[in-house]
Amino acid sequence: MKGVSVLNFVLIVFVLFSVNSFSQNPEWVNLIRAVNVTAIAEEGNYIWVGTNGGLVRIDKTTGSTTFYNKANSGLPDNYILAIAIDGQGNKWIGTYYRGVARFDGTNWVVYNESNSGLPNNEVTSIAIDGQGNKWIGTNGGGVARFDGTNWTVYNSSNSGLRSNSVEAIAIDGQ
């Protein structure tokens, strides 16, 4: 593998949690091993972890894990770069080469350059605003806003973006 030594090949992620968040003696618990952890999102009692080997759902109470990848789910790619969760509990999962997947807990829908207004299949960031719009940053295509029906693309030729590679998105309160 390019640029990866044996020493940093396995990254162990520790998540701090306890039954009582005010505990005087919190405990570090090893919940997942992966080559790279690339995204994390929290949803109620679950932590969703994106890796370059797929997606992991961790139950914060029991520590039990559920693994999702191309072979056992509707994920289009195992390399996850971004995760966001909307107000209806849909998980929006950005992948390295295959666009963005929406997972409602049962069904998967994949959006990519060939079936949507997504400008690039390398999805590097996702944020969801107060109106439920999904803001999807890509590597080379700028930012796409998806309102559930329509796609609007903002890039260096039609907006103030200086680059079409967007690695992080944050939504302010306004």
Side-chain angles (χ1 to χ4, degrees):
M1 283 189 202
K2 283 198 290 190
V4 179
S5 72
V6 174
L7 293 176
N8 66 9
F9 184 72
V10 175
L11 172 66
I12 301 173
V13 176
F14 293 97
V15 177
L16 176 62
F17 74 95
S18 68
V19 174
N20 179 350
S21 62
F22 299 105
S23 172
Q24 293 294 322
N25 299 307
E27 179 182 345
W28 286 96
V29 179
N30 180 2
L31 295 175
I32 182 174
R33 290 177 196 223
V35 176
N36 290 307
V37 171
T38 53
I40 298 176
E42 187 172 9
E43 175 193 33
N45 198 44
Y46 297 105
I47 297 173
W48 293 85
V49 181
T51 74
N52 65 342
L55 181 67
V56 183
R57 185 187 73 183
I58 303 167
D59 184 305
K60 292 189 294 187
T61 303
T62 66
S64 66
T65 57
T66 305
F67 296 89
Y68 301 91
N69 60 37
K70 286 184 352 179
N72 70 4
S73 73
L75 272 175
D77 190 359
N78 287 336
Y79 205 133
I80 310 303
L81 293 177
I83 304 170
I85 302 170
D86 69 22
Q88 288 74 45
N90 294 308
K91 276 55 80 180
W92 293 84
I93 304 145
T95 69
Y96 189 46
Y97 292 116
R98 306 268 192 253
V100 63
R102 182 187 54 146
F103 178 50
D104 66 8
T106 304
N107 301 303
W108 295 84
V109 176
V110 176
Y111 302 94
N112 57 45
E113 288 179 89
S114 68
N115 70 1
S116 72
L118 194 64
N120 187 288
N121 283 336
E122 187 174 341
V123 175
T124 53
S125 55
I126 304 171
I128 301 170
D129 69 22
Q131 289 74 44
N133 294 305
K134 285 51 134 190
W135 294 85
I136 302 168
T138 69
N139 186 16
V143 176
R145 180 177 58 91
F146 180 51
D147 66 10
T149 304
N150 301 305
W151 294 83
T152 305
V153 175
Y154 302 92
N155 57 40
S156 60
S157 67
N158 69 0
S159 72
L161 285 178
R162 296 185 52 87
S163 170
N164 288 329
S165 294
V166 178
E167 294 186 9
I169 299 174
I171 306 293
D172 71 10
Q174 304 298 316

